[in-house]
Amino acid sequence: MALNLLTDITPWRPSHSPGLSIRSELFAALIGAILVIPQGITFAYLAGLPPEYGIYTAIFVTLFASLFGTSSMLGGPNTAVAILIGVAVAPFAGRGSPLYIEYVLLLSFMVGLIQLTIWLLRGGRFFMYLSPAAITGITTGVGFILILSSLDGIFGLSSSDTHFFYHKLYFLFDDAESLINPFSFTIGATTVIAGMIARHYKTRYVILIAITAGYLYGLVLMAYYSQVEMELELLGHLPINPLPVSHPPMGTDYLITGLAMLPDALIIALIGLAQSMVIVKQLRNDTDQPIQPDKEVFAQGIANLLAPFFSSFAGSGSFNRTQVNQSLHAETPLTGIVSAGIVLVLILLLGPVLTYLPMPAISGTLMLVGIGMIKTDEIKRLFNWRGELAVFATTLFCILFLGLQTGLVVALVLSVLLFVISASSLELIAERESVSVRIRVEGHLFYASIDQLSQILKEHRHESVVLDLSVVTYLDLSATEAITKELANRDQESTFFAVKLSSKRLQNQFEIKMAGQPVQFIQHNQV
Amino acid sequence: MVDWLIRFHFDNYPRLLKHPKNHIFRIPLLLLVLCSASPVQSEQLPIESLLQRSYLDDYYSNVVYGYRIVTETEKYGARYTGNNLRCTNCHLDAGRKQNALPLNVAGMYPKWRSKNGRRNGIGLRIRECFVYSLNGIMPPEDAPEVMAVAAYISYLSHGEIIGKAPAGRGVPTLPDTGYDPNPASGKAIYDQMCAACHGADGQGIPGIPPLWGMDAYNEGAGMARVHRAAGFIWANMPLGQERTLSHQQALDVAAYINMQIRPGDPREYKLLKLFETVSWFFDR
């Protein structure tokens, strides 16, 4: 199997992908690298880590995810995963302290292990059950969280402990005069407005244009006021080390904390994989890349497992960067691999200039990402079907009021419930023919759906019945038992009961179970 | 166990008054416990033992982080510093030495300071150190670095009285010698006593901080004021032979050191830092 893996990990070789166009791949890699730098910094901030850790994540997690992956999906730091890491580790150590960083590395290692376990159990397919409505709910909720957390930076608030988002908004409006820093606010507003304008003309470079506008405006302000006077938050120096070797902490002392973080690790592993799988699903529908979902699960797992050895925290596939990637016609994992290298070169070149990047400009881009995640047309489409709308609304409500983890679990449970409900409802059509009643059944016949069939059979107890199961592909034991029970109650002298099945295999199975019962069979190829 | 018994007794205090008979049997038990328990004395754990631990709560993990920032500023506080100084270069022995700007001053804040003309909390005081003495940029008030150093300062201040200046606070104020500080004689004293470690060009050696040049504290720092620097030099320098200089000698050396070129006050030179950084990048 190991050999098999080794030969298959290079799907970006020309022999694997005939449509490989090096130029568009390299250009997409450059754009991806430029986009990931502000995201890495902000997501490190969300995870409670110094910004250079976000950059390391943007380099190494992207590299490993693409190296072992099969698609043009760009991995790396991810909003939901970063927020969840911050929530998970905060109780155990002070934000940003060396111990905190050790715990984050431990958590990332655990996430990687769990994802590899899921890969070994071939669990990737379960993420296909996450309904589109739930995913819309999650992205909308995460968008809201992003916008709300960007308010801190834009208004120059210090992070206060607020339990609900309206709490923060209330503070903001109640005491606006003393809370809001005018310099931060104007820089943040410049960034957001520049991004909104850019969105209409150059969709691909929105973040780049917005952050440049914010930075230039910050420089203008800095020429007139000193930083001390403005109390403006700047990014600061990024002590970037090209090979930041580290390791997750080992030893029995860490076992206690590790066990305490296990539920969080599980949720992070699941949500990371769920997002990646959704992206993979979309890519598979939209492009003809040779994507193997199982390989992608493996790639995510191994990327997160290796992350703590390179001072990185766990990540997953990124919606917005993959979309940009796709719009630039990048087709292979080569983009991600090159992108990782470009991030390193860019950050080493830009480091001194980035030091004076105002944090409100970064928060502004965060708000733009958040606004981009709330897709109004997708939400409008959900209004057509009540079930989907309920899933969406419940997920959104839970994320906003009960926290991201609760929301994610609720979304998963609701999607599965929705699936079960839709799978267990039968389509029953009763047509009166010359001598008999033909009951056509569509759907799966199993314990949850059999009740509907029994009801309709009871109604036609005194008539001849042809039970047409020709489009039923699944029959379980309880279905045959229910039919047997119904046969015993039938008026057997004057009527007959015939069954039509879809295949020889099902008919054989049915005949064995129905041995000795007064049932006639209609061949599956007859009318 | 002791805690639990005491709490159990006092939580039920009102009921205890109503039904004394029901609870009377607990009193001897409580007395026994109180007699056997030593007087409550929350011992501060020494920082060396904290450094060995892998499990720390929120407070102690911040204390350890703060200690690391103070002793290895160029590594742990790198995000906001602009030179290669460490906090412990002036706050000697990681802020634990008297008369060398000790850090056990949490009880003295908040207070009004003339430097910025406003009421300063300990957080603002720490942030200003990053701007002036470390010639960096001002961290936000909720930066983890600021939180950690604040935790370390409150750890060191354990046992001090709020509002009362701890023993050996700051640096001693030198008495008036009757003469102005003389940089020329300061240079002679510097070359004889200080240059061995700090170098004739004042740039220091690894482990010994630079005193002037673009890698030293800037003009807004407290150390850039001659009398403050003189007090520090008299009480602590040369390292290991403190208080061997006379007051006038200390003043002269301080005047000589603070006459040299150093980064400007960031309040006056607004874009200077950016140009400094960019030119450093091109010179490299």
Side-chain angles (χ1 to χ4, degrees):
Chain A
M1 193 169 98
L3 255 177
N4 197 3
L5 269 178
L6 280 178
T7 52
D8 277 3
I9 59 168
T10 51
W12 41 271
R13 288 182 311 189
S15 59
H16 277 71
S17 40
L20 178 73
S21 147
I22 295 285
R23 255 191 78 190
S24 59
E25 299 282 327
L26 293 187
F27 184 66
L30 177 68
I31 296 296
I34 291 171
L35 285 183
V36 80
I37 290 174
Q39 289 187 15
I41 290 166
T42 34
F43 295 164
Y45 184 75
L46 290 180
L49 292 167
E52 62 264 25
Y53 285 83
I55 302 291
Y56 294 145
T57 307
I59 297 170
F60 292 100
V61 174
T62 311
L63 177 68
F64 294 130
S66 290
L67 208 56
F68 294 99
T70 56
S71 69
S72 66
M73 176 176 71
L74 279 180
N78 176 284
T79 330
V81 172
I83 294 173
L84 288 174
I85 289 176
V87 170
V89 187
F92 301 107
R95 270 168 68 93
S97 63
L99 197 67
Y100 185 95
I101 294 169
E102 283 190 343
Y103 287 154
V104 170
L105 296 184
L106 180 65
L107 183 66
S108 304
F109 188 74
M110 284 159 60
V111 168
L113 275 185
I114 292 170
Q115 289 180 336
L116 281 185
T117 315
I118 292 173
W119 169 72
L120 279 177
L121 299 173
R122 296 277 177 272
R125 58 175 182 262
F126 288 108
F127 294 102
M128 302 296 174
Y129 286 109
L130 209 57
S131 81
I135 290 160
T136 314
I138 292 170
T139 47
T140 312
V142 171
F144 264 117
I145 291 176
L146 274 187
I147 292 173
L148 290 167
S149 61
S150 75
L151 290 182
D152 283 349
I154 289 177
F155 291 109
L157 314 174
S158 62
S159 60
S160 46
D161 274 337
T162 46
H163 290 285
F164 298 117
F165 65 93
Y166 51 80
H167 204 177
K168 187 188 276 178
L169 296 179
Y170 172 75
F171 276 141
L172 209 56
F173 290 121
D174 187 47
D175 202 8
E177 213 171 295
S178 61
L179 275 183
I180 294 175
N181 179 339
F183 302 102
S184 298
F185 175 64
T186 45
I187 293 177
T190 309
T191 313
V192 174
I193 291 168
M196 294 301 235
I197 295 170
R199 180 159 290 169
H200 287 288
Y201 300 103
K202 293 258 183 219
T203 327
R204 292 171 196 168
Y205 312 113
V206 171
I207 296 214
L208 195 60
I209 292 170
I211 206 162
T212 313
Y215 185 57
L216 292 179
Y217 180 63
L219 282 189
V220 171
L221 279 183
M222 271 188 266
Y224 286 97
Y225 304 94
S226 73
Q227 192 230 342
V228 184
E229 221 173 322
M230 292 191 282
E231 297 220 3
L232 183 64
E233 190 176 345
L234 301 179
L235 175 61
H237 303 276
L238 296 176
I240 291 287
N241 173 3
L243 201 63
V245 182
S246 64
H247 63 86
M250 296 294 168
T252 46
D253 302 353
Y254 292 97
L255 204 64
I256 304 162
T257 322
L259 279 177
M261 289 191 299
L262 195 60
D264 294 297
L266 198 64
I267 286 195
I268 293 171
L270 289 179
I271 195 60
L273 276 188
Q275 294 190 43
S276 307
M277 285 300 106
V278 169
I279 298 170
V280 164
K281 210 160 88 174
Q282 276 179 358
L283 277 180
R284 234 150 77 117
N285 291 343
D286 298 350
T287 67
D288 44 358
Q289 296 176 25
I291 298 176
Q292 294 155 284
D294 251 356
K295 281 276 164 55
E296 293 292 336
V297 174
F298 172 73
Q300 292 296 323
I302 205 89
N304 289 337
L305 192 75
L306 291 178
F309 294 96
F310 295 91
S311 304
S312 312
F313 55 89
S316 85
S318 158
F319 280 108
N320 49 32
R321 276 180 288 129
T322 308
Q323 261 170 18
V324 172
N325 213 2
Q326 209 180 329
S327 72
L328 294 171
H329 308 293
E331 297 272 306
T332 68
L334 183 64
T335 315
I337 296 164
V338 178
S339 170
I342 296 178
V343 171
L344 187 62
V345 174
L346 273 183
I347 206 76
L348 288 175
L349 284 178
L350 287 179
V353 180
L354 282 182
T355 306
Y356 296 93
L357 181 64
M359 285 305 268
I362 295 182
S363 298
T365 61
L366 197 64
M367 182 176 251
L368 286 171
V369 172
I371 292 172
M373 286 178 96
I374 301 173
K375 297 202 174 63
T376 38
D377 48 335
E378 255 177 44
I379 297 170
K380 268 182 206 149
R381 216 180 305 147
L382 289 176
F383 277 85
N384 296 333
W385 197 47
R386 245 183 9 194
E388 300 260 324
L389 186 64
V391 171
F392 166 76
T394 317
T395 308
L396 185 59
F397 178 85
C398 290
I399 288 178
L400 287 185
F401 290 94
L402 306 176
L404 194 53
Q405 291 110 313
T406 322
L408 294 174
V409 173
V410 166
L412 204 64
V413 170
L414 278 183
S415 321
V416 172
L417 267 184
L418 200 69
F419 174 75
V420 167
I421 289 170
S422 68
S424 63
S425 64
L426 286 180
E427 189 87 16
L428 294 167
I429 303 160
E431 292 169 335
R432 195 162 295 277
E433 290 180 339
S434 52
V435 284
S436 60
V437 174
R438 173 184 286 259
I439 300 172
R440 280 179 52 205
V441 182
E442 285 176 22
H444 297 288
L445 270 183
F446 67 114
Y447 51 88
S449 59
I450 198 69
D451 192 44
Q452 286 165 282
L453 182 67
S454 308
Q455 286 297 325
I456 201 158
L457 284 180
K458 215 176 272 175
E459 282 171 29
H460 299 284
R461 196 170 270 175
H462 305 291
E463 290 161 286
S464 301
V465 168
V466 176
L467 189 60
D468 187 351
L469 303 180
S470 55
V471 288
V472 172
T473 52
Y474 180 73
L475 259 174
D476 78 343
L477 187 64
S478 63
T480 51
E481 272 173 3
I483 294 171
T484 316
K485 207 180 279 173
E486 185 54 34
L487 282 175
N489 293 329
R490 283 183 68 82
D491 177 5
Q492 286 180 12
E493 277 79 48
S494 56
T495 64
F496 67 89
F497 186 85
V499 175
K500 184 181 174 190
L501 287 152
S502 59
S503 68
K504 196 80 197 159
R505 181 183 61 83
L506 269 182
Q507 185 171 334
N508 289 341
Q509 196 185 330
F510 202 72
E511 270 175 25
I512 293 165
K513 285 184 186 140
M514 286 287 168
Q517 298 288 343
V519 179
Q520 299 176 22
F521 289 98
I522 302 175
Q523 286 304 311
H524 56 93
N525 46 10
Q526 285 174 9
V527 181
Chain B
M1 173 70 184
V2 178
D3 257 18
W4 178 80
L5 260 173
I6 294 173
R7 198 171 301 152
F8 190 73
H9 187 83
F10 286 108
D11 281 356
N12 294 321
Y13 196 64
R15 276 206 288 145
L16 200 87
L17 291 178
K18 274 186 208 161
H19 316 282
K21 271 181 205 158
N22 296 353
H23 291 267
I24 205 92
F25 72 94
R26 279 208 210 105
I27 289 175
L29 193 62
L30 184 76
L31 284 177
L32 187 79
V33 163
L34 283 178
C35 292
S36 65
S38 58
V40 180
Q41 201 172 36
S42 58
E43 271 298 313
Q44 281 278 80
L45 293 160
I47 195 85
E48 284 72 21
S49 76
L50 289 177
L51 291 175
Q52 305 299 323
R53 292 223 196 157
S54 62
Y55 184 83
L56 294 166
D57 64 0
D58 189 33
Y59 171 63
Y60 279 113
S61 69
N62 268 318
V63 169
V64 168
Y65 185 26
Y67 176 79
R68 296 234 187 253
I69 291 172
V70 168
T71 53
E72 291 162 79
T73 314
E74 76 284 356
K75 186 174 174 203
Y76 290 97
R79 192 173 168 196
Y80 298 113
T81 58
N83 57 25
N84 271 327
L85 294 185
R86 293 171 168 179
C87 304
T88 187
N89 287 150
C90 295
H91 305 281
L92 297 180
D93 191 22
R96 288 174 293 191
K97 188 170 183 291
Q98 287 190 2
N99 293 319
L101 305 159
L103 290 175
N104 55 353
V105 290
M108 302 300 293
Y109 290 87
K111 67 166 186 180
W112 189 88
R113 286 171 74 233
S114 60
K115 185 165 187 167
N116 46 26
R118 52 194 272 203
R119 191 167 169 272
N120 286 219
I122 191 75
L124 184 58
R125 185 71 196 83
I126 296 165
R127 291 158 72 201
E128 291 205 332
C129 262
F130 277 97
V131 179
Y132 302 116
S133 300
L134 291 168
N135 188 31
I137 57 179
M138 193 182 224
E141 52 192 350
D142 58 342
E145 285 89 346
V146 175
M147 298 292 185
V149 175
Y152 179 62
I153 288 175
S154 70
Y155 167 83
L156 287 185
S157 310
H158 190 86
E160 303 291 342
I161 295 165
I162 290 177
K164 181 170 176 278
R169 171 160 183 254
V171 293
T173 311
L174 299 187
D176 190 359
T177 54
Y179 297 95
D180 280 346
N182 181 354
S185 74
K187 176 169 169 45
I189 300 161
Y190 181 86
D191 287 343
Q192 188 198 338
M193 313 279 292
C194 320
C197 296
H198 290 287
D201 56 352
Q203 294 309 298
I205 49 171
I208 304 288
L211 297 180
W212 63 80
M214 297 317 264
D215 213 14
Y217 56 89
N218 68 33
E219 282 169 7
M223 221 24 116
R225 294 193 306 189
V226 171
H227 282 83
R228 175 75 64 88
F232 180 82
I233 292 168
W234 179 75
N236 301 294
M237 290 289 145
L239 208 60
Q241 316 160 35
E242 57 226 42
R243 305 193 185 211
T244 52
L245 297 176
S246 72
H247 292 165
Q248 184 60 40
Q249 281 176 319
L251 276 168
D252 293 347
V253 171
Y256 173 67
I257 290 169
N258 283 332
M259 212 179 84
Q260 309 294 331
I261 191 164
R262 63 179 67 258
D265 189 330
R267 287 169 295 187
E268 288 163 25
Y269 304 96
K270 273 123 196 166
L271 276 177
L272 182 79
K273 287 273 193 47
L274 178 65
F275 293 138
E276 269 172 20
T277 321
V278 173
S279 66
W280 165 83
F281 173 66
F282 285 114
D283 290 349
R284 195 163 52 153

